[in-house]
Amino acid sequence: MEKLGMNELREKYLSFFESKGHLRLPSFSLIPKNDKSLLLINAGMAPLKPYFTGKEIPPSKRITTCQKCIRTPDIERVGKTARHGTFFEMLGNFSFGDYFKKEAILWAWEFVTKELRLPEERLWVTIYEKDDEAFEIWNKIVGLPAGKIVRMGKEDNFWEIGIGPCGPCSEIYFDRGEDKGCGKPECGIGCDCDRFIEFWNLVFTQFNKDAEGNYNPLPNPNIDTGMGLERIATVMQDVDSIFDVDVVRGITDFVGKISGVKYGTDKKADISLRVITDHIRGVVFMISDGILPSNEGRGYVLRRILRRAARHGKLLGLNEAFLYKIVDVVIKHYGDAYPELVERKDYIKKIVKIEEERFKETIDQGLNILNLYVEELKNQGENILDGVKAFKLYDTYGFPIDLTKEILQEVGIDVDEEEYKRELDKQRIRARSSRKEDSNIWEKDIYAGLKDIKTHFVGYNNIETHSKVLSIIKDNELIESAEAGDDVSIILDVTPFYAESGGQTGDQGILKNEDVLIKINDCKRVAGDKFIHIGTIERGIINTEDMVEALIDIDKRLDTARNHTATHLLHKALRDTLGEHVHQAGSYVSSERLRFDFTHYQAVTKDELKRIEDIVNEKIYQNIDVAVEVMTYEEALKNGAMALFTEKYGDAVRVVKINNYSKELCGGTHVKNTGFIGLIKIISESGVAAGTRRIEAVTGRNAIKYINEKELILDTAAEILKVPKKDIIIKIEQLNQNLKEMQDETAQLKMNIAMLVSDNLEKSYIDIQGIKFVSARLEDFDMDGLKIIGDILKEKLKTAVLIFTSQKNNKINFLGMATKNTVKMGVNVGNIIREICKLTGGNGGGKPDMAQGVGKDADKVDYALQEAYNILKKQIK
């Protein structure tokens, strides 16, 4: 057999199934589309789920893909085993009610024996124990000896998730030889050793499991297969680990080069090299698909694996940011198969570097906190760190538990890992509840059951139609008629209403005839090709089969179109001004405004915003025609059209062209000419996540309204200030200068008062073993005033502990300060303030040399100050 590289294997597989009539689709985004049961795409079939369920019509009944995937359940095992990884590629061929078991098995055998030339004597298969049909195909048609066809139980060879489509499967194994085995007499298929490796799973989806547990045959069974690219490469290249195949090893060797550690020479270092190699691949692909580091959802997964890789870099001696340097190597190996990586390289590197540097800051903070915990434990004579604190280090500062344990072991302290795990479990429960759980990922809604009903959308060219009512839904139930006052969803055979999609809101308008008037407030697309018109019946009765006039609100449609076309101009202006790394990361387009999220790693300056706005307005003034062309997805990309990270496209796509200035794939509605936009006005720019910015803007009549409102504000300000509008800024600057002078005078007055108070307090100290202790109940000082007095006294007394309290604006303030040399003697005013504030019913705390708090009971303040003296005496070593 030929030792094929990963890139060769990928292309060979996809080309083979293209020759069998399959449509080759590019890998879908790692971000699931319209699937709340998944955080990240974790299998080749996951993005094709709507085709299996019937919610959407596939572009072809035969499809083949190489799907990028992320799985994290076994993240702690990554680097320690030969086969575990968080990122992998899954090769697959799929049939949606077309070919079935015989073709799937025969083509699989043809591919592995003829294309890959794997020796037949080293191939084994498993089947579901009751699947006699699969046995007959493997044995009678393929010719595989019965002894090499292993029947296995439901747990191993039957694929199902809850209720819905399911079926038996057949897996293909490769025998790597006795030298890779465990040596046990019973060693064979299913053994945990590394001799027999399963590399291809053929799933025969032929049943539908109902709620009662019955398996009903599907009228159109499906095929879903999955072959791990890294795993088959391990077989083809005759290596022991997925980290030893050509593409992956190229990354590992580079990590070894920059760390000065040669792979294969040290077992512990090898774990770190493998972790970094695996995680940086996932990081690159996730950021490329528009995922950004955050503390929740898929952004948390990204942050977790990126920081885990960075932490393993520290173990290899890499103390400065280094992961961003590996991005180039990852893209070098994967760029041909995933050209979007090359296009987004600079952006990916920037995000990785920012997150690395941010982690360096937090991990240093974590070390400081951990050192404080150690000091507290030693002072208390304890040697176990509670799990809540260990979890806080992990959750707040990104401090891995193994690093916490390692540092503590050096000073003879253990971690309460059981409590840590309980806190971790609590977080996982919170994470699961933060997104809608879907216990049955195959569950079909009421619309998916309407298989013979579809809506023809003509709204690109028509604003009204004569339509037939196909279905009426009320309270998620199909009904035959509805009357005035009912809130309904109506499906028509033909409609001019645009359904919410691609960030554009659905059209509003009315449905009417002589007997009924329905106000439509929204329009959505469901189950692939059904448009539901959501509204309220204002008069009359509506029945299925009725004919109605469907009229959209043309003013709102045009305002929405202005905003949508403006987002295309804005996108291009952002790229021209800020750089090619800018990509759309989300949008919202309604009749009132537009919101545009984009990838950028820092705030846009005022000058940049002004330039961006000017560019868009210039294109508006040029009255450029806006054209729409329909072509294949591949043709669109060849012509330079931009596609969204997370969008899924069919074979035919709409390309919106604004001359040669902007070309984007888009299904939205647009103006015919940029001049119809009238004007754009950017009203805000802000950050929404790490590496993602947001611009909000208005166009047309809403832009004029916005400007008029600002004009009114200026008129009012000029009237209040009693100056012409052109002099408002000069007047404000004068007022600011007057205010600053008054503040300076007030500050000087406070300083003078503080000096007088400190002079009075200087001689009131009590000497406690060489420490000058001053406590005082002062009147009418805020916290800043107390700090000024404290700073002056510290300078005068040199070795001092100060405890002050003062009541101002019905608030009792406490302040504790200590000179640095007293801290070395055991003083901790943070503990003192915490305890004395409690005595007054309040709370407080802080650092050993500076702390503050508040009290509630003024009658107990004097007692609290006396107690401060007693606490201090106990602290001094």
Side-chain angles (χ1 to χ4, degrees):
M1 68 187 183
E2 186 180 358
K3 291 191 175 183
L4 298 172
M6 273 178 59
N7 290 323
E8 294 173 284
L9 282 166
R10 185 191 301 108
E11 180 55 38
K12 188 176 282 285
Y13 181 93
L14 295 173
S15 296
F16 174 80
F17 280 100
E18 275 189 307
S19 73
K20 303 299 183 184
H22 290 64
L23 171 66
R24 181 200 294 213
L25 293 180
S27 175
F28 294 91
S29 169
L30 284 166
I31 302 174
K33 182 185 178 186
N34 299 327
D35 187 351
K36 293 181 180 179
S37 68
L38 285 177
L39 198 61
L40 292 158
I41 293 298
N42 59 4
M45 60 74 59
L48 304 175
K49 206 185 299 177
Y51 303 151
F52 283 108
T53 62
K55 286 187 175 182
E56 293 183 19
I57 299 172
S60 169
K61 287 191 173 184
R62 299 181 181 184
I63 285 176
T64 184
T65 64
C66 180
Q67 177 63 45
K68 51 198 174 186
C69 303
I70 295 282
R71 289 182 190 171
T72 57
D74 295 315
I75 190 171
E76 300 300 332
R77 301 180 69 184
V78 173
K80 298 175 183 177
T81 71
R83 287 174 287 185
H84 284 95
T86 57
F87 173 81
F88 62 96
E89 295 177 85
M90 184 66 76
L91 298 163
N93 57 285
F94 309 92
S95 167
F96 306 103
D98 187 30
Y99 66 84
F100 194 49
K101 203 172 293 187
K102 177 181 176 182
E103 293 86 349
I105 290 173
L106 289 176
W107 289 338
W109 188 252
E110 179 184 351
F111 183 73
V112 298
T113 59
K114 298 293 190 285
E115 296 293 321
L116 300 186
R117 300 179 187 175
L118 290 174
E120 294 184 22
E121 66 274 11
R122 297 179 71 176
L123 294 171
W124 293 67
V125 300
T126 62
I127 61 171
Y128 176 49
E129 58 189 357
K130 297 181 181 179
D131 193 355
D132 294 330
E133 181 185 5
F135 179 86
E136 290 296 315
I137 297 170
W138 280 116
N139 182 238
K140 303 298 183 185
I141 302 178
V142 172
L144 199 63
K148 300 196 78 175
I149 306 170
V150 181
R151 292 179 183 263
M152 301 189 80
K154 199 172 185 180
E155 183 178 343
D156 295 301
N157 277 66
F158 195 93
W159 188 90
E160 63 181 340
I161 301 179
I163 62 174
C166 58
C169 61
S170 180
E171 299 175 323
I172 307 177
Y173 285 75
F174 183 77
D175 181 358
R176 303 177 68 214
E178 291 185 15
D179 59 315
K180 300 292 194 300
C182 57
K184 297 176 182 178
E186 66 272 19
C187 183
I189 300 296
C191 184
D192 289 336
C193 71
D194 290 331
R195 176 174 176 178
F196 295 93
I197 182 170
E198 179 265 315
F199 63 89
W200 202 350
N201 188 13
L202 316 177
V203 179
F204 313 126
T205 311
Q206 62 189 91
F207 300 112
N208 184 68
K209 183 181 179 182
D210 61 29
E212 286 72 42
N214 300 310
Y215 293 90
N216 306 300
L218 287 170
N220 297 304
N222 305 312
I223 289 294
D224 159 26
T225 84
M227 176 161 62
L229 178 57
E230 291 86 353
R231 189 167 288 195
I232 188 61
T234 303
V235 171
M236 296 299 299
Q237 296 175 29
D238 193 23
V239 292
D240 294 329
S241 160
I242 61 171
F243 297 97
D244 294 311
V245 299
D246 60 327
V247 166
V248 184
R249 182 59 184 268
I251 300 167
T252 307
D253 287 342
F254 179 79
V255 179
K257 180 181 177 181
I258 63 175
S259 64
V261 178
K262 187 175 181 181
Y263 183 58
T265 58
D266 180 86
K267 188 175 180 180
K268 188 175 180 181
D270 283 352
I271 291 175
S272 292
L273 290 171
R274 288 194 289 264
V275 168
I276 295 167
T277 298
D278 170 76
H279 288 3
I280 190 60
R281 293 188 304 152
V283 165
V284 167
F285 278 90
M286 290 173 78
I287 295 175
S288 173
D289 279 349
I291 300 170
L292 292 164
S294 70
N295 286 328
E296 59 184 14
R298 57 183 67 95
Y300 179 73
V301 176
L302 171 58
R303 172 163 285 169
R304 184 184 180 195
I305 65 173
L306 192 153
R307 291 187 169 190
R308 192 167 188 263
R311 177 268 194 277
H312 276 274
K314 288 180 75 73
L315 295 180
L316 295 177
L318 294 165
N319 294 315
E320 299 300 324
F322 71 95
L323 289 172
Y324 75 97
K325 299 176 184 176
I326 313 173
V327 172
D328 287 325
V329 183
V330 175
I331 293 176
K332 173 186 174 184
H333 287 291
Y334 286 95
D336 288 342
Y338 301 95
E340 67 272 16
L341 297 180
V342 179
E343 179 187 349
R344 300 162 192 165
K345 180 175 72 172
D346 291 341
Y347 171 70
I348 296 168
K349 290 177 69 175
K350 189 72 177 181
I351 295 301
V352 171
K353 190 174 184 182
I354 288 172
E355 183 64 16
E356 274 193 281
E357 291 171 346
R358 183 173 291 151
F359 179 52
K360 185 177 184 301
E361 293 173 7
T362 58
I363 203 168
D364 289 342
Q365 287 178 319
L367 280 170
N368 292 332
I369 298 295
L370 185 55
N371 289 334
L372 287 176
Y373 289 162
V374 169
E375 185 180 344
E376 285 180 10
L377 288 170
K378 286 184 174 180
N379 289 337
Q380 296 164 4
E382 298 178 2
N383 62 355
I384 297 179
L385 179 70
D386 71 67
V388 175
K389 290 179 177 177
F391 179 76
K392 181 181 178 182
L393 282 167
Y394 163 71
D395 194 43
T396 305
Y397 300 103
F399 221 66
I401 184 65
D402 52 349
L403 183 57
T404 299
K405 287 165 57 180
E406 182 180 322
I407 294 171
L408 291 179
Q409 284 169 2
E410 294 174 359
V411 292
I413 296 175
D414 293 324
V415 177
D416 187 340
E417 290 190 66
E418 290 302 316
E419 189 175 26
Y420 171 83
K421 289 176 182 176
R422 286 196 293 272
E423 291 298 313
L424 192 61
D425 287 340
K426 289 178 186 177
Q427 185 205 54
R428 286 169 178 160
I429 291 170
R430 289 193 297 268
R432 283 197 295 269
S433 63
S434 69
R435 70 178 192 270
K436 180 182 177 183
E437 288 292 338
D438 190 346
S439 59
N440 173 25
I441 63 174
W442 297 104
E443 185 180 0
K444 299 179 182 179
D445 58 29
I446 189 171
Y447 302 107
L450 304 173
K451 292 190 176 297
D452 297 327
I453 290 179
K454 62 176 61 178
T455 305
H456 181 48
F457 173 63
V458 296
Y460 290 130
N461 301 308
N462 299 85
I463 63 172
E464 61 180 87
T465 59
H466 289 277
S467 308
K468 179 190 288 187
V469 176
L470 301 180
S471 297
I472 305 171
I473 297 94
K474 177 186 175 185
D475 298 329
N476 207 36
E477 295 289 339
L478 282 170
I479 58 176
E480 291 298 317
S481 65
E483 60 187 22
D486 287 345
D487 294 325
V488 293
S489 297
I490 293 176
I491 302 177
L492 304 175
D493 63 340
V494 60
T495 185
F497 282 76
Y498 180 86
E500 178 183 349
S501 178
Q504 179 176 326
T505 56
D507 277 330
Q508 298 179 11
I510 59 172
L511 305 181
K512 68 173 185 174
N513 59 29
E514 292 181 355
D515 300 318
V516 73
L517 175 65
I518 307 172
K519 183 181 179 182
I520 300 301
N521 302 313
D522 199 0
C523 182
K524 297 183 183 293
R525 185 172 183 168
V526 297
D529 50 11
K530 302 169 185 62
F531 284 52
I532 57 169
H533 305 75
I534 304 167
T536 302
I537 302 176
E538 296 201 336
R539 65 169 174 82
I541 298 174
I542 188 73
N543 303 287
T544 55
E545 302 296 318
D546 281 357
M547 296 299 296
V548 294
E549 287 183 76
L551 299 92
I552 65 171
D553 185 325
I554 187 61
D555 288 338
K556 287 185 180 294
R557 162 69 78 84
L558 289 175
D559 284 341
T560 303
R562 290 184 180 97
N563 284 331
H564 205 151
T565 305
T567 64
H568 287 222
L569 293 172
L570 180 61
H571 192 183
K572 185 63 168 64
L574 283 163
R575 287 171 63 86
D576 288 347
T577 304
L578 305 179
E580 293 298 304
H581 66 277
V582 169
H583 285 277
Q584 181 174 340
S587 69
Y588 173 83
V589 178
S590 70
S591 58
E592 290 82 21
R593 62 190 176 91
L594 69 89
R595 185 182 72 215
F596 190 80
D597 295 348
F598 58 98
T599 52
H600 190 54
Y601 39 81
Q602 60 192 23
V604 183
T605 67
K606 289 183 179 180
D607 287 343
E608 288 170 335
L609 277 177
K610 182 67 169 61
R611 173 165 169 71
I612 290 162
E613 186 178 271
D614 287 345
I615 291 173
V616 176
N617 278 321
E618 183 60 35
K619 297 302 175 184
I620 291 172
Y621 305 151
Q622 289 175 5
N623 292 317
I624 305 170
D625 286 339
V626 179
V628 176
E629 295 181 12
V630 179
M631 60 185 76
T632 67
Y633 178 75
E634 290 73 19
E635 287 173 337
L637 295 184
K638 287 178 182 177
N639 287 331
M642 294 189 66
L644 298 187
F645 288 179
T646 58
E647 198 64 35
K648 186 161 63 177
Y649 298 100
D651 189 37
V653 296
R654 296 175 80 243
V655 178
V656 177
K657 295 174 61 178
I658 304 175
N659 202 353
N660 290 320
Y661 181 68
S662 169
K663 296 180 186 178
E664 290 192 32
L665 274 63
C666 180
T669 60
H670 292 269
V671 295
K672 301 293 184 183
N673 184 289
T674 61
F676 288 118
I677 298 172
L679 172 72
I680 189 172
K681 188 64 188 172
I682 294 174
I683 59 177
S684 70
E685 190 275 344
S686 61
V688 292
T692 303
R693 308 297 301 179
R694 171 174 291 172
I695 281 179
E696 296 192 67
V698 287
T699 67
R701 74 184 85 195
N702 288 304
I704 295 171
K705 179 183 176 183
Y706 175 82
I707 291 170
N708 287 339
E709 288 171 352
K710 295 299 180 186
E711 186 75 15
L712 178 60
I713 292 171
L714 284 174
D715 288 340
T716 305
E719 185 177 338
I720 292 171
L721 295 171
K722 294 181 171 46
V723 294
K725 281 190 289 186
K726 64 182 180 64
D727 295 332
I728 286 176
I729 294 175
I730 295 172
K731 184 65 176 179
I732 291 173
E733 288 175 344
Q734 289 174 352
L735 292 173
N736 274 338
Q737 181 61 33
N738 293 341
L739 179 61
K740 185 178 181 303
E741 290 171 0
M742 292 173 64
Q743 288 171 336
D744 290 343
E745 291 174 4
T746 302
Q748 185 59 50
L749 183 60
K750 283 185 177 181
M751 179 61 71
N752 293 339
I753 294 171
M755 290 291 289
L756 289 172
V757 174
S758 65
D759 286 343
N760 292 331
L761 292 175
E762 183 180 358
K763 297 176 183 179
S764 69
Y765 70 81
I766 300 172
D767 189 289
I768 307 176
Q769 298 184 40
I771 295 176
K772 296 171 182 176
F773 173 62
V774 178
S775 66
R777 182 170 183 170
L778 304 173
E779 294 300 330
D780 206 32
F781 281 93
D782 60 15
M783 195 64 76
D784 288 338
L786 294 178
K787 288 178 181 177
I788 293 171
I789 296 170
D791 286 335
I792 295 171
L793 272 177
K794 280 169 56 180
E795 183 64 29
K796 288 182 175 183
L797 298 177
K798 306 301 181 185
T799 304
V801 174
L802 316 170
I803 303 294
F804 298 143
T805 181
S806 177
Q807 187 168 343
K808 185 177 178 67
N809 298 327
N810 296 319
K811 182 179 179 182
I812 303 172
N813 293 314
F814 279 90
L815 175 71
M817 301 178 77
T819 53
K820 296 291 185 183
N821 53 355
T822 65
V823 174
K824 295 178 181 178
M825 300 167 67
V827 172
N828 187 324
V829 294
N831 291 341
I832 296 174
I833 291 296
R834 182 172 63 248
E835 294 303 320
I836 66 175
C837 284
K838 285 181 183 177
L839 295 176
T840 67
N843 57 74
K847 298 178 181 179
D849 63 336
M850 168 74 81
Q852 61 188 54
V854 294
K856 293 183 179 178
D857 190 342
D859 292 337
K860 294 182 180 179
V861 168
D862 290 335
Y863 170 68
L865 291 176
Q866 292 171 8
E867 197 59 27
Y869 170 81
N870 296 327
I871 297 171
L872 175 61
K873 284 183 68 176
K874 293 177 182 178
Q875 285 186 348
I876 299 172
K877 296 178 182 177

